[in-house]
Amino acid sequence: MKILVIGNGGREHALCWKLKQSAKVTSIFCAPGNGGIASIAELVPLGVDQISDLIRFAQGEKIDLTVVGPENPLAAGMVDQFQAAGLKVFGPNQRAAIIEGSKAFAKDLMAKYQIPTAKYQVFTEKEAALDYLAHQTMPIVIKGDGLAAGKGVVVAHELSEAIAAVIDIFASGVHERLVIEEFLAGEELSLMAFVDGNTVVPMQVAQDHKPVYDGDLGPNTGGMGAYSPVPQIAQSIVDQAIETILKPTANAMVAEGRSFTGILYAGLIITDAGPKVIEFNARFGDPETQVVLPRLETDLVDVLLACVDHRLDTLSVSWNQKAVVAVVLASHGYPGSYQVGVPITGIESEAADDTMVFHAGTTMDAGTLVTAGGRILAVTSMDNDLRMARAGAYASIAKIGIHRAHYRTDIGAKA
Ligand code: AMP
Ligand code: GLY
Protein backbone atom coordinates (compact mmCIF):
# COMPACT_ATOMS: atom_id res chain seq x y z
CA MET A 1 0.00 0.00 0.00
CA LYS A 2 1.01 3.59 -0.62
CA ILE A 3 0.29 5.96 2.24
CA LEU A 4 0.23 9.76 2.35
CA VAL A 5 0.53 11.47 5.73
CA ILE A 6 -0.49 15.13 5.96
CA GLY A 7 1.39 17.38 8.41
CA ASN A 8 4.86 18.29 9.59
CA GLY A 9 5.03 17.77 13.35
CA GLY A 10 6.38 15.24 15.81
CA ARG A 11 2.98 13.55 15.66
CA GLU A 12 3.33 13.00 11.93
CA HIS A 13 6.89 11.70 12.37
CA ALA A 14 5.56 9.17 14.89
CA LEU A 15 2.73 8.24 12.49
CA CYS A 16 5.16 7.69 9.59
CA TRP A 17 7.49 5.72 11.88
CA LYS A 18 4.67 3.44 13.01
CA LEU A 19 3.16 3.04 9.53
CA LYS A 20 6.57 2.06 8.20
CA GLN A 21 6.55 -0.96 10.54
CA SER A 22 3.54 -2.38 8.69
CA ALA A 23 4.30 -5.20 6.28
CA LYS A 24 1.43 -3.90 4.14
CA VAL A 25 3.09 -0.56 3.46
CA THR A 26 5.32 -0.27 0.41
CA SER A 27 5.87 3.48 0.43
CA ILE A 28 5.10 6.49 2.59
CA PHE A 29 4.80 10.09 1.43
CA CYS A 30 4.47 13.03 3.78
CA ALA A 31 3.27 16.53 2.91
CA PRO A 32 5.05 18.70 3.79
CA GLY A 33 6.99 16.66 6.39
CA ASN A 34 10.16 17.83 8.16
CA GLY A 35 13.88 17.13 8.46
CA GLY A 36 13.36 13.87 10.38
CA ILE A 37 10.44 12.52 8.37
CA ALA A 38 12.65 12.95 5.28
CA SER A 39 14.68 9.93 6.36
CA ILE A 40 11.71 7.54 6.43
CA ALA A 41 9.22 8.99 3.92
CA GLU A 42 9.31 10.82 0.63
CA LEU A 43 8.53 14.49 1.27
CA VAL A 44 5.90 16.18 -0.89
CA PRO A 45 6.42 19.94 -1.05
CA LEU A 46 2.75 20.85 -0.55
CA GLY A 47 1.26 22.66 2.44
CA VAL A 48 -1.62 21.25 4.48
CA ASP A 49 -3.90 23.96 3.04
CA GLN A 50 -3.23 23.05 -0.62
CA ILE A 51 -6.10 20.60 -0.71
CA SER A 52 -6.69 20.41 -4.45
CA ASP A 53 -2.97 20.01 -5.16
CA LEU A 54 -2.81 17.24 -2.55
CA ILE A 55 -5.77 15.50 -4.20
CA ARG A 56 -4.06 15.70 -7.58
CA PHE A 57 -0.90 14.27 -6.03
CA ALA A 58 -2.79 11.40 -4.34
CA GLN A 59 -4.58 10.55 -7.58
CA GLY A 60 -1.39 10.72 -9.63
CA GLU A 61 0.55 8.49 -7.19
CA LYS A 62 -2.42 6.15 -6.66
CA ILE A 63 -2.24 6.64 -2.90
CA ASP A 64 -4.24 3.92 -1.11
CA LEU A 65 -4.76 5.79 2.16
CA THR A 66 -4.24 9.39 3.27
CA VAL A 67 -3.88 10.10 7.00
CA VAL A 68 -4.56 13.68 8.09
CA GLY A 69 -2.51 14.76 11.14
CA PRO A 70 -3.41 18.34 12.13
CA GLU A 71 -6.72 20.01 12.94
CA ASN A 72 -6.70 22.87 10.44
CA PRO A 73 -7.11 20.80 7.26
CA LEU A 74 -9.81 18.73 9.00
CA ALA A 75 -11.72 21.89 9.90
CA ALA A 76 -11.23 23.11 6.32
CA GLY A 77 -12.94 19.98 4.93
CA MET A 78 -9.93 18.10 3.55
CA VAL A 79 -11.55 14.74 4.31
CA ASP A 80 -14.79 15.71 2.54
CA GLN A 81 -12.85 16.80 -0.54
CA PHE A 82 -10.67 13.66 -0.65
CA GLN A 83 -13.78 11.50 -0.32
CA ALA A 84 -15.56 13.43 -3.07
CA ALA A 85 -12.55 12.71 -5.28
CA GLY A 86 -12.92 8.98 -4.56
CA LEU A 87 -9.84 8.77 -2.31
CA LYS A 88 -9.60 6.78 0.91
CA VAL A 89 -8.78 9.12 3.79
CA PHE A 90 -8.52 8.77 7.57
CA GLY A 91 -10.00 11.58 9.67
CA PRO A 92 -13.32 13.21 10.51
CA ASN A 93 -15.20 15.19 7.89
CA GLN A 94 -15.84 18.88 8.35
CA ARG A 95 -19.19 18.44 10.10
CA ALA A 96 -17.57 16.12 12.66
CA ALA A 97 -14.28 18.03 13.06
CA ILE A 98 -16.29 20.93 14.51
CA ILE A 99 -16.05 19.15 17.86
CA GLU A 100 -12.52 20.57 18.04
CA GLY A 101 -12.97 23.64 15.83
CA SER A 102 -15.69 25.19 17.96
CA LYS A 103 -15.44 25.04 21.73
CA ALA A 104 -18.97 26.45 21.91
CA PHE A 105 -20.27 23.54 19.78
CA ALA A 106 -18.45 21.03 22.00
CA LYS A 107 -19.79 22.60 25.19
CA ASP A 108 -23.37 22.69 23.88
CA LEU A 109 -23.10 19.04 22.75
CA MET A 110 -21.88 17.98 26.20
CA ALA A 111 -24.68 19.91 27.91
CA LYS A 112 -27.32 18.34 25.64
CA TYR A 113 -26.05 14.78 26.17
CA GLN A 114 -25.04 15.13 29.82
CA ILE A 115 -21.38 14.49 29.20
CA PRO A 116 -19.43 15.62 32.28
CA THR A 117 -17.60 18.92 31.71
CA ALA A 118 -16.91 22.20 33.47
CA LYS A 119 -19.87 24.58 33.87
CA TYR A 120 -19.72 27.29 31.25
CA GLN A 121 -21.32 30.19 29.43
CA VAL A 122 -20.73 31.30 25.84
CA PHE A 123 -20.51 35.05 25.11
CA THR A 124 -20.56 37.06 21.92
CA GLU A 125 -20.56 40.46 23.66
CA LYS A 126 -17.75 41.84 25.79
CA GLU A 127 -20.09 43.69 28.18
CA ALA A 128 -22.14 40.59 28.95
CA ALA A 129 -18.95 38.58 29.55
CA LEU A 130 -17.55 41.22 31.93
CA ASP A 131 -20.85 41.45 33.75
CA TYR A 132 -20.92 37.66 34.22
CA LEU A 133 -17.32 37.65 35.47
CA ALA A 134 -18.14 40.13 38.22
CA HIS A 135 -20.34 37.46 39.82
CA GLN A 136 -17.92 34.50 39.61
CA THR A 137 -15.36 33.11 42.00
CA MET A 138 -11.71 32.79 40.97
CA PRO A 139 -9.85 30.99 39.51
CA ILE A 140 -11.82 30.91 36.30
CA VAL A 141 -11.00 29.88 32.73
CA ILE A 142 -11.47 32.06 29.63
CA LYS A 143 -11.27 30.44 26.19
CA GLY A 144 -11.45 32.08 22.78
CA ASP A 145 -13.63 30.09 20.41
CA GLY A 146 -11.78 28.54 17.48
CA LEU A 147 -8.51 26.73 16.79
CA ALA A 148 -5.63 28.29 18.71
CA ALA A 149 -2.91 25.60 19.07
CA GLY A 150 -3.41 25.42 22.84
CA LYS A 151 -2.75 29.10 23.19
CA GLY A 152 -6.29 30.52 23.33
CA VAL A 153 -6.87 29.66 26.99
CA VAL A 154 -6.29 31.78 30.08
CA VAL A 155 -6.59 30.37 33.59
CA ALA A 156 -7.20 33.56 35.61
CA HIS A 157 -6.49 33.56 39.33
CA GLU A 158 -7.53 37.19 39.87
CA LEU A 159 -10.58 39.03 38.58
CA SER A 160 -8.31 41.64 36.96
CA GLU A 161 -6.59 38.90 34.96
CA ALA A 162 -9.95 37.51 33.85
CA ILE A 163 -11.15 40.95 32.76
CA ALA A 164 -7.93 41.54 30.81
CA ALA A 165 -8.32 38.15 29.09
CA VAL A 166 -11.89 38.93 27.98
CA ILE A 167 -10.86 42.33 26.65
CA ASP A 168 -7.84 40.86 24.84
CA ILE A 169 -9.81 38.05 23.23
CA PHE A 170 -12.47 40.37 21.83
CA ALA A 171 -9.85 42.93 20.79
CA SER A 172 -7.73 40.31 18.98
CA GLY A 173 -10.31 40.04 16.20
CA VAL A 174 -9.52 36.30 16.01
CA HIS A 175 -12.47 35.12 18.07
CA GLU A 176 -16.12 36.10 17.68
CA ARG A 177 -17.15 34.24 20.79
CA LEU A 178 -15.61 33.20 24.03
CA VAL A 179 -16.36 30.59 26.63
CA ILE A 180 -16.03 31.32 30.33
CA GLU A 181 -15.85 28.15 32.35
CA GLU A 182 -15.45 26.80 35.82
CA PHE A 183 -11.88 26.00 36.88
CA LEU A 184 -11.47 22.26 37.45
CA ALA A 185 -8.85 21.04 39.91
CA GLY A 186 -7.19 17.68 39.35
CA GLU A 187 -4.72 15.81 37.18
CA GLU A 188 -4.98 16.08 33.43
CA LEU A 189 -5.29 13.03 31.24
CA SER A 190 -5.26 12.61 27.47
CA LEU A 191 -7.60 9.84 26.39
CA MET A 192 -7.57 9.18 22.66
CA ALA A 193 -9.68 6.65 20.78
CA PHE A 194 -10.08 5.21 17.32
CA VAL A 195 -13.68 5.83 16.26
CA ASP A 196 -15.61 4.68 13.18
CA GLY A 197 -18.95 6.30 13.89
CA ASN A 198 -20.46 3.99 16.48
CA THR A 199 -17.51 1.92 17.64
CA VAL A 200 -14.98 3.42 20.04
CA VAL A 201 -11.64 1.69 20.61
CA PRO A 202 -9.71 3.56 23.31
CA MET A 203 -5.94 3.86 23.20
CA GLN A 204 -3.62 3.69 26.17
CA VAL A 205 -3.77 6.95 28.14
CA ALA A 206 -1.07 9.60 28.27
CA GLN A 207 -0.36 12.75 30.23
CA ASP A 208 0.85 15.92 28.54
CA HIS A 209 2.72 18.85 30.12
CA LYS A 210 1.30 22.09 28.73
CA PRO A 211 3.10 24.87 30.64
CA VAL A 212 6.53 25.74 29.33
CA TYR A 213 8.55 25.49 32.58
CA ASP A 214 9.20 22.87 35.26
CA GLY A 215 6.58 22.65 37.97
CA ASP A 216 3.86 23.65 35.47
CA LEU A 217 4.97 27.28 35.55
CA GLY A 218 4.84 29.79 32.72
CA PRO A 219 2.54 30.13 29.72
CA ASN A 220 0.87 27.21 27.98
CA THR A 221 2.47 25.61 24.93
CA GLY A 222 1.38 22.97 22.44
CA GLY A 223 2.88 20.41 24.89
CA MET A 224 6.38 20.09 26.38
CA GLY A 225 6.44 16.34 26.92
CA ALA A 226 4.26 13.33 27.61
CA TYR A 227 4.32 9.84 29.00
CA SER A 228 2.28 6.65 28.95
CA PRO A 229 1.00 4.82 30.97
CA VAL A 230 -0.21 7.16 33.74
CA PRO A 231 -0.01 4.84 36.77
CA GLN A 232 -1.35 7.30 39.36
CA ILE A 233 -4.73 7.32 37.60
CA ALA A 234 -6.60 4.08 38.25
CA GLN A 235 -7.90 2.00 35.34
CA SER A 236 -11.39 2.25 36.89
CA ILE A 237 -11.27 6.04 36.34
CA VAL A 238 -10.17 5.54 32.74
CA ASP A 239 -13.00 3.02 32.24
CA GLN A 240 -15.42 5.53 33.72
CA ALA A 241 -14.20 8.13 31.21
CA ILE A 242 -14.67 5.68 28.34
CA GLU A 243 -18.23 4.90 29.42
CA THR A 244 -19.37 8.38 30.47
CA ILE A 245 -17.46 10.48 27.96
CA LEU A 246 -16.00 8.77 24.86
CA LYS A 247 -18.83 6.40 23.99
CA PRO A 248 -21.68 8.86 24.67
CA THR A 249 -19.85 11.53 22.66
CA ALA A 250 -19.45 9.27 19.61
CA ASN A 251 -23.12 8.32 19.89
CA ALA A 252 -24.14 11.97 20.30
CA MET A 253 -22.26 12.88 17.12
CA VAL A 254 -24.14 10.15 15.23
CA ALA A 255 -27.44 11.38 16.68
CA GLU A 256 -26.61 14.93 15.58
CA GLY A 257 -25.94 13.80 12.01
CA ARG A 258 -22.22 14.44 12.52
CA SER A 259 -20.95 10.85 12.68
CA PHE A 260 -17.29 10.96 13.71
CA THR A 261 -14.67 8.77 12.04
CA GLY A 262 -11.08 9.32 13.07
CA ILE A 263 -9.30 10.02 16.34
CA LEU A 264 -11.47 11.39 19.10
CA TYR A 265 -9.23 12.81 21.78
CA ALA A 266 -10.72 13.81 25.12
CA GLY A 267 -8.64 16.18 27.21
CA LEU A 268 -9.75 15.37 30.75
CA ILE A 269 -9.33 16.61 34.28
CA ILE A 270 -9.76 13.93 36.92
CA THR A 271 -11.77 15.80 39.56
CA ASP A 272 -13.03 14.54 42.92
CA ALA A 273 -16.37 14.04 41.16
CA GLY A 274 -14.80 11.91 38.41
CA PRO A 275 -13.34 12.65 34.96
CA LYS A 276 -14.57 15.80 33.19
CA VAL A 277 -13.85 17.11 29.71
CA ILE A 278 -11.86 20.29 29.19
CA GLU A 279 -11.62 19.90 25.44
CA PHE A 280 -12.15 17.55 22.55
CA ASN A 281 -9.71 17.23 19.71
CA ALA A 282 -10.53 15.61 16.38
CA ARG A 283 -7.02 14.21 15.77
CA PHE A 284 -4.02 12.57 17.40
CA GLY A 285 -2.41 14.59 20.21
CA ASP A 286 1.07 15.99 19.95
CA PRO A 287 3.21 14.90 21.86
CA GLU A 288 0.81 12.17 23.11
CA THR A 289 1.04 10.26 19.84
CA GLN A 290 4.80 9.94 20.29
CA VAL A 291 4.29 8.02 23.56
CA VAL A 292 1.15 6.06 22.68
CA LEU A 293 1.92 4.69 19.20
CA PRO A 294 5.13 2.91 20.30
CA ARG A 295 2.87 0.87 22.60
CA LEU A 296 0.50 -0.23 19.81
CA GLU A 297 1.04 -3.86 18.86
CA THR A 298 -1.68 -4.17 16.23
CA ASP A 299 -0.74 -3.04 12.72
CA LEU A 300 -1.71 0.66 12.58
CA VAL A 301 -2.74 0.32 8.92
CA ASP A 302 -5.28 -2.34 9.91
CA VAL A 303 -6.72 -0.09 12.60
CA LEU A 304 -6.99 2.97 10.36
CA LEU A 305 -8.58 0.95 7.53
CA ALA A 306 -11.06 -0.63 9.95
CA CYS A 307 -12.14 2.90 10.94
CA VAL A 308 -12.43 4.15 7.37
CA ASP A 309 -14.37 1.03 6.33
CA HIS A 310 -16.62 1.14 9.44
CA ARG A 311 -15.73 -2.31 10.71
CA LEU A 312 -13.77 -1.37 13.83
CA ASP A 313 -16.03 -3.68 15.87
CA THR A 314 -14.43 -6.68 14.12
CA LEU A 315 -10.85 -5.79 15.06
CA SER A 316 -9.05 -6.53 18.30
CA VAL A 317 -6.44 -3.90 19.14
CA SER A 318 -3.59 -4.77 21.51
CA TRP A 319 -0.94 -2.78 23.37
CA ASN A 320 2.38 -3.62 24.98
CA GLN A 321 3.00 -3.19 28.71
CA LYS A 322 5.98 -0.90 28.24
CA ALA A 323 6.40 2.69 29.36
CA VAL A 324 7.24 5.58 27.04
CA VAL A 325 8.45 9.09 27.87
CA ALA A 326 8.87 11.94 25.36
CA VAL A 327 10.66 15.16 26.26
CA VAL A 328 10.22 18.11 23.91
CA LEU A 329 13.24 20.20 23.05
CA ALA A 330 12.06 23.73 22.17
CA SER A 331 13.61 26.83 20.63
CA HIS A 332 14.81 29.66 22.86
CA GLY A 333 11.84 32.01 23.32
CA TYR A 334 9.10 29.42 22.60
CA PRO A 335 6.09 29.71 23.13
CA GLY A 336 6.86 33.37 22.33
CA SER A 337 8.91 34.37 19.32
CA TYR A 338 12.03 32.40 18.44
CA GLN A 339 14.71 32.11 15.78
CA VAL A 340 14.89 29.35 13.19
CA GLY A 341 17.81 27.98 11.19
CA VAL A 342 19.85 26.99 14.27
CA PRO A 343 22.03 23.90 13.58
CA ILE A 344 21.16 20.65 15.37
CA THR A 345 23.88 18.19 16.40
CA GLY A 346 24.10 15.00 18.43
CA ILE A 347 21.03 13.07 17.31
CA GLU A 348 22.09 9.45 17.55
CA SER A 349 21.13 7.03 14.84
CA GLU A 350 18.09 5.02 15.76
CA ALA A 351 20.22 1.92 16.22
CA ALA A 352 18.92 1.62 19.75
CA ASP A 353 15.35 0.56 18.88
CA ASP A 354 13.76 1.99 21.94
CA THR A 355 14.98 5.57 21.55
CA MET A 356 13.07 7.51 18.95
CA VAL A 357 13.91 11.13 18.18
CA PHE A 358 10.70 12.42 16.60
CA HIS A 359 11.25 15.64 14.71
CA ALA A 360 8.82 18.57 14.73
CA GLY A 361 10.33 21.94 13.77
CA THR A 362 13.35 20.76 11.78
CA THR A 363 14.41 20.99 8.15
CA MET A 364 17.40 20.12 6.01
CA ASP A 365 19.24 23.20 4.84
CA ALA A 366 21.97 22.41 2.31
CA GLY A 367 22.69 19.08 3.94
CA THR A 368 22.59 20.39 7.53
CA LEU A 369 19.75 19.68 9.92
CA VAL A 370 18.49 23.00 11.36
CA THR A 371 15.59 24.21 13.49
CA ALA A 372 12.41 25.37 11.76
CA GLY A 373 9.86 25.77 14.56
CA GLY A 374 9.11 26.28 18.25
CA ARG A 375 8.93 22.66 19.27
CA ILE A 376 11.99 21.11 17.61
CA LEU A 377 12.22 17.47 18.71
CA ALA A 378 10.39 15.00 20.93
CA VAL A 379 13.12 12.80 22.34
CA THR A 380 11.34 9.57 23.17
CA SER A 381 12.37 6.45 25.00
CA MET A 382 10.52 3.18 25.61
CA ASP A 383 11.52 0.81 28.39
CA ASN A 384 10.15 -1.70 30.86
CA ASP A 385 9.11 0.96 33.36
CA LEU A 386 8.63 4.71 33.50
CA ARG A 387 11.75 5.36 35.55
CA MET A 388 13.94 3.68 32.94
CA ALA A 389 12.10 5.34 30.05
CA ARG A 390 12.59 8.77 31.67
CA ALA A 391 16.28 8.08 32.21
CA GLY A 392 16.60 7.00 28.58
CA ALA A 393 14.87 10.10 27.21
CA TYR A 394 16.93 12.46 29.36
CA ALA A 395 20.20 10.64 28.51
CA SER A 396 19.46 11.10 24.79
CA ILE A 397 18.41 14.73 25.06
CA ALA A 398 21.62 15.57 26.93
CA LYS A 399 23.62 14.59 23.84
CA ILE A 400 21.72 16.89 21.49
CA GLY A 401 23.21 20.28 20.80
CA ILE A 402 20.99 23.20 19.75
CA HIS A 403 22.14 26.65 20.85
CA ARG A 404 19.95 27.93 23.72
CA ALA A 405 17.21 25.33 23.22
CA HIS A 406 15.30 24.41 26.37
CA TYR A 407 13.30 21.54 27.79
CA ARG A 408 11.46 20.63 30.98
CA THR A 409 13.38 18.39 33.38
CA ASP A 410 10.28 17.05 35.14
CA ILE A 411 8.41 15.18 32.38
CA GLY A 412 6.81 12.15 34.00
CA ALA A 413 7.90 13.18 37.51
CA LYS A 414 4.31 13.11 38.82
CA ALA A 415 4.08 9.43 37.91
P1 AMP B 1 -7.55 23.57 26.27
O1 AMP B 1 -6.96 24.28 25.08
O2 AMP B 1 -9.01 23.73 26.42
O3 AMP B 1 -7.05 22.16 26.38
O4 AMP B 1 -6.86 24.26 27.54
C1 AMP B 1 -5.46 24.35 27.67
C2 AMP B 1 -5.08 24.08 29.10
O5 AMP B 1 -5.74 24.99 29.98
C3 AMP B 1 -5.48 22.71 29.59
O6 AMP B 1 -4.57 21.74 29.25
C4 AMP B 1 -5.56 22.94 31.09
O7 AMP B 1 -4.28 22.90 31.66
C5 AMP B 1 -6.07 24.33 31.20
N1 AMP B 1 -7.54 24.33 31.34
C6 AMP B 1 -8.45 24.42 30.36
N2 AMP B 1 -9.70 24.36 30.86
C7 AMP B 1 -9.59 24.24 32.19
C8 AMP B 1 -10.54 24.16 33.27
N3 AMP B 1 -11.86 24.22 33.07
N4 AMP B 1 -10.05 24.02 34.52
C9 AMP B 1 -8.73 23.98 34.73
N5 AMP B 1 -7.78 24.08 33.77
C10 AMP B 1 -8.20 24.21 32.51
N1 GLY C 1 -0.89 17.90 23.37
C1 GLY C 1 -2.14 18.55 23.24
C2 GLY C 1 -2.74 18.50 21.93
O1 GLY C 1 -2.32 17.79 21.03
O2 GLY C 1 -3.73 19.20 21.73
Side-chain angles (χ1 to χ4, degrees), residues 278-298:
I278 49 170
E279 66 166 348
F280 280 117
N281 294 318
R283 44 148 184 101
F284 282 103
D286 189 339
E288 289 90 334
T289 303
Q290 290 87 312
V291 296
V292 171
L293 283 187
R295 300 190 56 205
L296 177 64
E297 286 188 332
T298 312

Side-chain angles (χ1 to χ4, degrees), residues 182-195:
E182 169 199 13
F183 173 82
L184 298 176
E187 284 214 43
E188 285 188 43
L189 191 69
S190 299
L191 175 58
M192 302 187 282
F194 299 102
V195 179

Side-chain angles (χ1 to χ4, degrees), residues 32-41 43 341-344 347 359-372:
N34 62 38
I37 296 174
S39 64
I40 56 171
L43 300 193
V342 181
I344 302 171
I347 298 182
H359 293 226
T362 75
T363 190
M364 292 302 290
D365 180 18
T368 306
L369 185 68
V370 298
T371 65

Side-chain angles (χ1 to χ4, degrees), residues 190-210:
S190 299
L191 175 58
M192 302 187 282
F194 299 102
V195 179
D196 76 345
N198 291 296
T199 306
V200 171
V201 173
M203 299 188 210
Q204 296 297 307
V205 294
Q207 191 172 59
D208 189 9
H209 298 66
K210 291 250 168 86

Side-chain angles (χ1 to χ4, degrees), residues 92-127:
N93 63 20
Q94 193 170 27
R95 282 179 60 76
I98 192 175
I99 197 166
E100 170 167 8
S102 167
K103 287 186 191 285
F105 170 84
K107 294 300 289 192
D108 290 344
L109 184 86
M110 288 186 272
K112 182 168 173 189
Y113 292 90
Q114 283 139 40
I115 293 157
T117 188
K119 292 196 195 67
Y120 73 103
Q121 291 266 13
V122 180
F123 294 93
T124 51
E125 303 288 338
K126 184 173 78 181
E127 282 66 33

